[in-house]
Amino acid sequence: MAVQLDDQLMDILACPADHAPLRVGTAADPAADVLTCTACGLRYPVVDGIPVLLADEALPAEAAADGAGA
């Protein structure tokens, strides 16, 4: 299921690692339950509709053309 967050909330959320804006989903899966940093690519899980914006909980950036996923 795709993440559904209020547009105003998405306007203020930022990556805790480099303060860049976040986008919903990933390049490979726009419906993924994660928020992806537009700069560094770290993926932050969304659990029960709540973004977990902790650097320690972030998933690594996706490999470009690797095809390997977490």
Side-chain angles (χ1 to χ4, degrees):
M1 170 186 346
V3 174
Q4 295 181 348
L5 297 174
D6 183 69
D7 289 337
Q8 289 179 326
L9 179 61
M10 287 302 298
D11 286 343
I12 62 172
L13 289 179
C15 176
D18 61 15
H19 307 289
L22 299 168
R23 72 170 185 269
V24 174
T26 67
D29 184 5
D33 287 336
V34 297
L35 297 177
T36 302
C37 177
T38 57
C40 68
L42 285 175
R43 298 173 289 150
Y44 298 93
V46 177
V47 180
D48 295 328
I50 302 170
V52 181
L53 297 177
L54 300 171
D56 292 344
E57 299 289 325
L59 303 168
E62 292 182 315
D66 199 359

